[in-house]
């Protein structure tokens, strides 16, 4: 056990995500912290709308106390405290939230705290906890996210948060080389470590029923799992689907394209099947039916800052993976097929479809066995102790 109280500042409506089974990096790491009791105490701090603070309707948590701007709950099952507040990010949060956190810590008799921030918009909080050790989890480059592109106030504090991180003497963990290079400084005032993502799938595959069985016929199946939006290179998809006319291409996920380009591809080619969004616990069953898994993503600064979880899902099932050069392909090229051009993608996919190598499959499975969320969390704790 790391003998500190973990103050875990996250960007999510945390307990909502827990109840609905959301999959993201902060959630999976925190799950390991409380499942394996890696800290003496744990308090998750997150922002909610004011209406959610004033309306308390809880079934799975105990309300410890409530004040005008925040509530504190206790989850007895996982022994986790929740501090939920309604302060807007920025100067107001930086002025008031530290006072609230310190007040709650005194009330709960928490001492020797560690401040862990996962939201760059809240990185200014580290300036107010000068006597507390800090850790910043800089996963993905939020300053390049299309979600924040037109939100000037968000972008202002995201950019400011990264600048504060670079000047701090805290430990920073990142998930890609892009983020490590972005936050490292020549003065070595901070310590930046790369700890990538991994899979959250449960691969204890059950028998498939007819509803979730792909109609393969005599065709090999190439599959993609993930939301369908602008990071997918549709020109590349069109090229490979047109080239491999005797291969069935299956796409699973929510169609978030603002245009109808993906819909037109479905109309143009008979060998594409779009199944829509599926429950996460069914995904291993679908991947098991794929002969090859693909990640035909556009390579740009934003996608280079992301560590694609779907690739780890594919690898956990032992499947051949053909991808463009986005992470983690830069670190796992020995167990994946990494393409550099559209024509190269076609060649790599041809090789993957002909793969008959149990040794290579085993290397993927061994890699994933050694890269679980539990081991990632313990690796981070070792860095903190060091």
């Amino acid at each position: 056990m790391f003998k500190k109280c973990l103050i875990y500042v996250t960007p999510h409506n945390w307990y909502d995500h827990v109840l609905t089974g959301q999959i993201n990096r902060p959630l999976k790491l925190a799950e390991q912290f409380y499942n394996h009791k890696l800290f003496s105490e744990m308090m998750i701090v997150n922002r909610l709308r004011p209406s959610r603070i004033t309306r308390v309707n809880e079934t799975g948590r105990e309300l410890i106390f409530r004040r005008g701007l925040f509530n504190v709950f206790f989850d007895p099952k996982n022994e986790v405290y929740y501090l939920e507040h309604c302060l807007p990010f920025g100067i107001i949060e930086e002025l008031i939230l530290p006072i609230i956190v310190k007040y709650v810590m005194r009330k709960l008799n928490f001492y020797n705290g560690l401040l862990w921030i996962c939201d760059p918009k809240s990185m200014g909080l580290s300036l107010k906890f000068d006597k507390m050790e800090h850790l910043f989890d800089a996963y993905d480059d939020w300053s390049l996210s299309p979600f924040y592109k037109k939100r000037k106030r968000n972008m202002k504090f995201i950019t400011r948060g990264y600048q504060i991180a670079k000047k701090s003497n805290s430990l920073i963990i990142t998930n890609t080389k892009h983020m490590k290079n972005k936050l490292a400084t020549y003065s070595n005032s901070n310590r930046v470590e790369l700890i990538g993502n991994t899979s959250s799938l449960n691969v204890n595959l059950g028998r498939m029923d007819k509803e979730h069985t792909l109609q393969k016929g005599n065709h090999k199946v190439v599959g993609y799992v993930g939301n369908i939006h602008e990071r997918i290179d549709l020109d590349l998809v069109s090229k490979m689907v047109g080239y491999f006319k005797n291969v069935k291409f299956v796409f699973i996920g929510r169609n978030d394209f603002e245009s109808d380009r993906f819909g037109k591809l479905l109309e143009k080619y008979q060998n594409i099947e779009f199944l829509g969004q599926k429950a996460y616990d069914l995904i291993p069953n679908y991947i098991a039916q794929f002969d090859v898994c693909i990640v035909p993503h556009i390579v740009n600064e934003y996608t280079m800052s992301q560590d694609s979880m779907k690739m780890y899902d594919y690898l956990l099932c032992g499947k051949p993976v053909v991808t463009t050069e986005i992470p983690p392909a830069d670190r796992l090229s020995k167990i994946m097929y990494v393409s550099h051009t559209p024509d190269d993608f076609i060649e790599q996919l041809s090789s993957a479809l002909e793969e008959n190598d149990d040794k290579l499959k085993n290397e993927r499975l061994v890699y994933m066995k050694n890269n679980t969320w539990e081991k990632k969390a313990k690796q981070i704790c070792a860095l903190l102790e060091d």
Side-chain angles (χ1 to χ4, degrees):
M1 178 186 290
F2 192 68
K3 295 183 179 180
K4 284 183 179 292
C5 167
L6 176 62
I7 309 300
Y8 200 58
V9 181
T10 81
H12 306 296
N13 290 350
W14 188 274
Y15 201 60
D16 291 352
H17 279 211
V18 171
L19 293 177
T20 55
Q22 296 290 316
I23 305 299
N24 56 58
R25 178 180 170 105
L27 273 170
K28 299 312 295 183
L29 286 174
E31 189 178 87
Q32 300 305 314
F33 299 150
Y34 57 68
N35 281 348
H36 300 285
K37 303 294 184 285
L38 298 181
F39 291 86
S40 56
E41 297 91 17
M42 182 169 176
M43 183 166 67
I44 295 171
V45 180
N46 65 272
R47 184 184 307 108
L48 295 178
R49 292 193 179 115
S51 60
R52 292 285 303 277
I53 298 299
T54 57
R55 186 180 70 250
V56 176
N57 183 20
E58 287 294 321
T59 55
R61 300 182 298 178
E62 301 172 2
L63 179 63
I64 303 301
F65 52 85
R66 62 184 305 182
R67 302 292 184 267
L69 298 174
F70 68 95
N71 298 318
V72 176
F73 297 94
F74 178 65
D75 173 8
K77 179 182 177 182
N78 297 309
E79 298 182 3
V80 178
Y81 289 86
Y82 291 84
L83 194 169
E84 297 176 347
H85 66 89
C86 61
L87 300 169
F89 66 84
I91 302 303
I92 294 177
E93 180 186 64
E94 291 173 20
L95 288 174
I96 300 176
L97 187 56
I99 298 172
I100 293 175
V101 170
K102 292 171 185 177
Y103 167 80
V104 173
M105 288 181 69
R106 287 196 303 271
K107 284 285 187 179
L108 298 176
N109 294 316
F110 289 170
Y111 303 98
N112 198 20
L114 169 72
L115 181 67
W116 185 315
I117 299 175
C118 304
D119 184 345
K121 300 191 302 297
S122 296
M123 192 59 195
L125 293 172
S126 64
L127 302 174
K128 306 296 182 179
F129 288 91
D130 54 339
K131 295 182 180 180
M132 191 181 291
E133 290 182 276
H134 312 140
L135 184 147
F136 177 39
D137 187 0
Y139 65 98
D140 304 350
D141 193 339
W142 294 27
S143 69
L144 301 173
S145 169
F147 181 76
Y148 294 117
K149 192 173 183 180
K150 296 180 180 180
R151 302 184 180 195
K152 292 183 178 179
R153 184 169 178 275
N154 284 263
M155 194 61 70
K156 173 184 175 182
F157 283 96
I158 288 170
T159 302
R160 177 174 174 266
Y162 290 140
Q163 291 171 346
I164 292 172
K166 287 192 71 168
K167 295 176 183 178
S168 72
N169 59 358
S170 59
L171 172 65
I172 299 174
I173 56 174
T174 66
N175 60 348
T176 61
K177 291 180 181 177
H178 168 94
M179 292 307 296
K180 184 173 182 178
N181 293 336
K182 180 186 180 82
L183 295 172
T185 58
Y186 293 111
S187 62
N188 294 322
S189 60
N190 56 25
R191 179 176 178 182
V192 185
E193 299 286 348
L194 198 164
I195 297 179
N197 296 327
T198 189
S199 175
S200 303
L201 287 179
N202 182 350
V203 293
N204 294 322
L205 305 178
R207 294 183 62 183
M208 293 292 295
D209 55 36
K210 290 183 179 179
E211 182 183 356
H212 304 117
T213 301
L214 299 176
Q215 303 304 313
K216 300 173 66 170
N218 295 321
H219 302 289
K220 288 196 172 183
V221 176
V222 171
Y224 176 90
V225 177
N227 291 336
I228 318 297
H229 53 69
E230 276 68 14
R231 68 183 173 186
I232 294 182
D233 188 340
L234 290 185
D235 291 333
L236 175 56
V237 172
S238 179
K239 185 181 182 75
M240 65 179 163
V241 172
Y243 185 88
F244 295 98
K245 293 183 173 61
N246 293 320
V247 172
K248 184 172 186 176
F249 290 82
V250 175
F251 286 78
I252 296 174
R254 188 176 66 243
N255 184 4
D256 287 336
F257 259 99
E258 294 182 359
S259 69
D260 61 351
R261 288 185 63 204
F262 184 66
K264 288 182 177 179
L265 273 182
L266 298 177
E267 294 174 1
K268 181 177 180 180
Y269 296 103
Q270 299 301 309
N271 57 331
I272 299 185
E273 184 175 4
F274 176 52
L275 301 183
Q277 196 167 14
K278 298 295 181 182
Y280 193 68
D281 59 358
L282 290 174
I283 296 303
N285 293 326
Y286 284 105
I287 294 177
Q289 299 176 81
F290 297 161
D291 294 289
V292 177
C293 301
I294 55 171
V295 188
H297 285 187
I298 292 170
V299 179
N300 57 30
E301 200 174 5
Y302 182 51
T303 57
M304 289 300 288
S305 80
Q306 299 176 304
D307 194 35
S308 174
M309 286 191 178
K310 65 174 57 61
M311 287 201 218
Y312 297 107
D313 292 343
Y314 299 157
L315 294 173
L316 188 66
C317 298
K319 294 296 179 176
V321 180
V322 182
T323 178
T324 52
E325 298 172 279
I326 64 167
D330 54 344
R331 294 180 281 111
L332 302 179
S333 59
K334 291 183 179 179
I335 56 175
M336 299 188 338
Y337 296 84
V338 183
S339 70
H340 308 289
T341 65
D343 288 337
D344 191 23
F345 200 102
I346 300 295
E347 292 182 21
Q348 298 286 357
L349 183 51
S350 295
S351 299
L353 286 166
E354 297 301 321
E355 182 185 300
N356 184 21
D357 190 340
D358 288 338
K359 180 181 177 183
L360 192 53
K361 177 180 179 179
N362 187 59
E363 286 178 2
R364 298 177 189 125
L365 297 175
V366 169
Y367 173 82
M368 292 305 298
K369 184 178 180 180
N370 293 325
N371 285 273
T372 62
W373 282 117
E374 179 182 356
K375 292 187 177 182
K376 302 282 183 184
K378 289 182 177 179
Q379 184 181 354
I380 294 169
C381 288
L383 290 172
L384 291 170
E385 290 175 343
D386 186 40

